[in-house]
Amino acid sequence: MQKQFRTIFVVFFGTAWTALGLLPQAEWTPAQERPNILFAIADDWSYGHATAYGCAWVETPSFDRLAREGLLFQNAYTPNAKCAPSRATILTGRYSWQLEQAGNHMAIFPAKFGGFVERLASDGYFAGYTGKGWGPGIANDVNGAAREITGKRYSGRQAQPPAKDISRIDYAANFGDFLQDVPDGQPWVFWYGALEPHRSYEFQSGVKAGKQLSDIDRVPSYWPDTETVRHDMLDYAVEVEHFDAHLGKILEQLEASGQLDNTLIVATSDHGMPFPRVKGQAYSHSNHIPLAIRWPRGVQGTGRVIDDFVNFTDLAPTFLEVAGVTEPGPIMQSLSGRSLTDIFESEASGQVNPERDHVLVGKERHDIGRPNNGGYPIRGIANGDFLLVRNYAVDRWPAGDPVTGYLNCDGSPTKSLVLELRRSGENRSWWDLCFGKRPELELYNLRTDPDCVTNLATLDRYADVLSRLDQQMQQELKQQGDPRMFGQGDVFDRYEYSASETNNFYERFLSGEALRAGWVNRSDFEPEPIDD
């Protein structure tokens, strides 16, 4: 049976698409009935850290299989490099600055912004998840009841993990329980949300697993290259491999049940690794994420490597289109992304659609701990070889205030080392890169400087590049209704936290109240303010 999908009207402004309906003008004819959808998302896994990308110290045979039998994306991005706003973007197909409270971390998710899982469930899909769905935060419906924003929870199965700080959740077994519950003949959507490689890690679990410090070909230039940092990276690798191992077990179950080839499988991560200058920031390693997609009955060819710039707003329209859902409402709002089916239908590798030549990135308020509940607003654009970052509050600390522990950077051996090198006077340069204050404009050549450490914004020969990118970014943000483009960006600092005990953390901590932030080390808190 073939299904015809009606054309939806879309307005095109320059290189920005604004979806008034759902899909770009095209007809999509799946090979048979509506496909199942498996969305596999790691928590804090960086682009490049997979064997398919040529990485020698992280082994990912399951992710590699998806790439080998489908598509591997070289330029996939999350628009916001923090858990809750990134996942909100995935679910809604809208940028975080279009999501009101849900654009923040530790947020209250407005009921009016429905997600693709809820929309598919309303249209006949059986929906479930295991592990981490959306969060952290509160997501209730208009009546105050908890939303099944990623479907029905499956969490009953547990197993002994390979390292002591890895979750005991048996993701694959929980998926098996879900499959048993799916009614015969009903399509399904499942969100496999691993908690790995989120902090914390068992120190030296990497070498215990047989890895060697010399396996790492290079340490990013914004960290010191020491045994401590290399151990930390290998420990992270063990957790990435745990995510991949359960993905492999899920693929085995799909193959055994005869459902593998009619399941659209997407494997990715919400943002970059939980290390200084990466997670929670807006550099390439923060927002650039791994992405592989397999669906033999809907994707032309195998082993195709895609250079198009795509981002998380593109996933929801893709899922709805292949499922035959032609209207996002009334559950969802209009979508900002573009369905990836143009890439699916092509047989080409490299740059498939020349219009997909850039992505927008940014952030507002992430973790707690700044004066007056302040965030660190950023907008940026990656276009071709260049990344432009505009910082809107340069008087603030980008990773969080030092006296409250730099709370937008998870505690880790790497973080502790960088902080101690500054305190001891031995070397401040790493701290400057990871935690120091920043200029208003930053411009980086991603081809020659993927670590984004050499700012080109003040060099005259790059003035035209900077001006062009800045104009393009601001034009598209205005078209998207970004409050910050209209002088209303402070609204993000006024939104409530999902947990009242985190409100005014900075003021309460400095007044002597006994407060804790469990994702950082107590030694991360600076005893005195730092004059930068």
Side-chain angles (χ1 to χ4, degrees):
M1 174 181 177
Q2 290 189 329
K3 297 193 176 188
Q4 298 289 334
F5 296 83
R6 68 180 180 84
T7 300
I8 302 297
F9 182 66
V10 176
V11 178
F12 180 70
F13 296 99
T15 54
W17 292 79
T18 302
L20 301 181
L22 173 58
L23 309 176
Q25 292 185 331
E27 286 192 345
W28 180 247
T29 54
Q32 64 161 46
E33 297 291 339
R34 308 167 85 183
N36 306 313
I37 297 171
L38 171 66
F39 182 65
I41 180 169
D43 197 359
D44 303 6
W45 175 30
S46 282
Y47 167 81
H49 296 161
T51 324
Y53 289 119
C55 183
W57 51 278
V58 185
E59 297 181 9
T60 53
S62 306
F63 180 85
D64 302 344
R65 177 183 178 183
L66 300 183
R68 186 173 62 253
E69 298 176 359
L71 309 174
L72 179 68
F73 288 79
Q74 297 279 30
N75 290 301
Y77 282 73
T78 175
N80 193 319
K82 199 71 171 184
C83 300
S86 178
R87 291 161 189 259
T89 292
I90 293 167
L91 288 164
T92 64
R94 296 169 66 86
Y95 291 96
S96 58
W97 43 87
Q98 297 178 306
L99 292 173
E100 298 175 6
Q101 293 97 317
N104 284 345
H105 194 59
M106 300 183 182
I108 299 172
F109 205 127
K112 67 180 180 181
F113 295 118
F116 76 83
V117 178
E118 295 165 299
R119 184 65 182 89
L120 292 177
S122 75
D123 206 70
Y125 270 71
F126 190 77
Y129 82 101
T130 188
K132 183 174 181 176
W134 173 81
I138 295 172
N140 294 335
D141 62 21
V142 292
N143 298 314
R147 293 162 60 181
E148 289 191 341
I149 198 166
T150 49
K152 177 182 176 182
R153 184 183 180 189
Y154 284 80
S155 61
R157 302 297 189 100
Q158 294 192 338
Q160 184 66 33
K164 69 178 184 180
D165 285 335
I166 289 178
S167 169
R168 297 181 62 88
I169 299 174
D170 191 333
Y171 306 110
N174 287 324
F175 173 73
D177 290 342
F178 168 82
L179 276 188
Q180 291 293 322
D181 287 349
V182 177
D184 290 344
Q186 185 172 354
W188 52 261
V189 55
F190 191 81
W191 178 295
Y192 159 37
L195 277 68
E196 293 76 33
H198 195 286
R199 299 281 181 181
S200 57
Y201 306 153
E202 178 186 346
F203 189 60
Q204 298 190 3
S205 58
V207 294
K208 291 178 182 177
K211 298 180 180 295
Q212 299 181 17
L213 299 182
S214 59
D215 293 342
I216 297 173
D217 56 335
R218 67 179 295 270
V219 172
S221 56
Y222 41 76
W223 306 327
D225 187 350
T226 68
E227 287 191 2
T228 295
V229 172
R230 286 176 174 258
H231 275 299
D232 208 9
M233 294 173 68
L234 292 183
D235 299 345
Y236 153 85
V238 169
E239 302 227 352
V240 173
E241 292 170 359
H242 183 71
F243 160 77
D244 189 78
H246 277 269
L247 176 60
K249 294 176 182 178
I250 289 172
L251 297 180
E252 290 173 359
Q253 293 179 66
L254 289 175
E255 203 157 23
S257 65
Q259 301 182 70
L260 181 62
D261 286 351
N262 195 38
T263 300
L264 169 58
I265 303 171
V266 175
T268 188
S269 168
D270 53 1
H271 50 71
M273 63 200 300
F275 283 68
R277 201 178 163 87
V278 184
K279 176 181 176 180
Q281 303 307 312
Y283 298 115
S284 178
H285 293 169
S286 309
N287 297 79
H288 196 181
I289 43 89
L291 177 64
I293 297 178
R294 181 192 190 275
W295 184 30
R297 293 178 178 172
V299 172
Q300 297 298 313
T302 59
R304 291 165 52 204
V305 179
I306 307 300
D307 293 337
D308 297 49
F309 281 76
V310 302
N311 76 82
F312 277 166
T313 66
D314 299 330
L315 292 180
T318 302
F319 296 146
L320 297 189
E321 181 178 1
V322 302
V325 178
T326 57
E327 294 289 348
I331 290 175
M332 301 178 72
Q333 301 287 328
S334 61
L335 309 180
S336 298
R338 292 182 281 176
S339 171
L340 298 173
T341 53
D342 59 331
I343 295 175
F344 291 1
E345 292 174 317
S346 172
E347 296 182 353
S349 292
Q351 186 75 35
V352 176
N353 184 343
E355 293 167 358
R356 296 185 183 269
D357 63 355
H358 71 282
V359 293
L360 299 178
V361 299
K363 55 181 279 194
E364 283 293 338
R365 191 178 67 199
H366 283 175
D367 285 313
I368 60 179
R370 289 193 186 87
N372 304 310
N373 292 329
Y376 192 84
I378 294 176
R379 297 294 184 271
I381 182 171
N383 186 327
D385 287 342
F386 289 96
L387 170 67
L388 170 69
V389 173
R390 178 176 282 275
N391 300 296
Y392 288 91
V394 296
D395 58 320
R396 302 179 188 178
W397 296 97
D401 201 283
V403 298
T404 50
Y406 311 90
L407 293 182
N408 204 36
C409 179
D410 296 346
S412 68
T414 299
K415 179 182 180 181
S416 295
L417 175 62
V418 170
L419 296 182
E420 183 54 36
L421 287 173
R422 186 202 66 84
R423 291 168 185 159
S424 68
E426 183 177 346
N427 192 317
R428 181 185 164 122
S429 63
W430 316 114
W431 183 92
D432 286 334
L433 288 167
C434 294
F435 301 108
K437 290 183 179 178
R438 299 172 184 164
E440 180 182 3
L441 291 172
E442 300 176 76
L443 180 69
Y444 300 101
N445 187 320
L446 299 177
R447 180 175 52 84
T448 61
D449 179 25
D451 291 348
C452 298
V453 295
T454 302
N455 185 10
L456 307 174
T458 61
L459 301 182
D460 290 343
R461 65 180 180 273
Y462 292 101
D464 289 344
V465 173
L466 189 151
S467 177
R468 172 175 57 84
L469 294 181
D470 196 33
Q471 289 180 29
Q472 180 184 10
M473 176 184 73
Q474 295 196 48
Q475 178 186 12
E476 294 189 17
L477 290 171
K478 287 177 181 177
Q479 292 165 1
Q480 294 168 8
D482 180 356
R484 190 156 292 282
M485 296 301 104
F486 302 96
Q488 301 166 359
D490 290 347
V491 67
F492 292 100
D493 289 348
R494 297 196 298 271
Y495 287 133
E496 293 181 58
Y497 286 104
S498 56
S500 59
E501 61 268 21
T502 62
N503 191 51
N504 296 319
F505 184 97
Y506 176 90
E507 290 79 9
R508 291 160 58 198
F509 179 81
L510 264 64
S511 71
E513 188 173 344
L515 300 174
R516 62 183 300 273
W519 60 95
V520 300
N521 300 323
R522 186 64 188 88
S523 61
D524 292 351
F525 290 70
E526 298 288 0
E528 299 291 339
I530 295 175
D531 182 5
D532 197 40

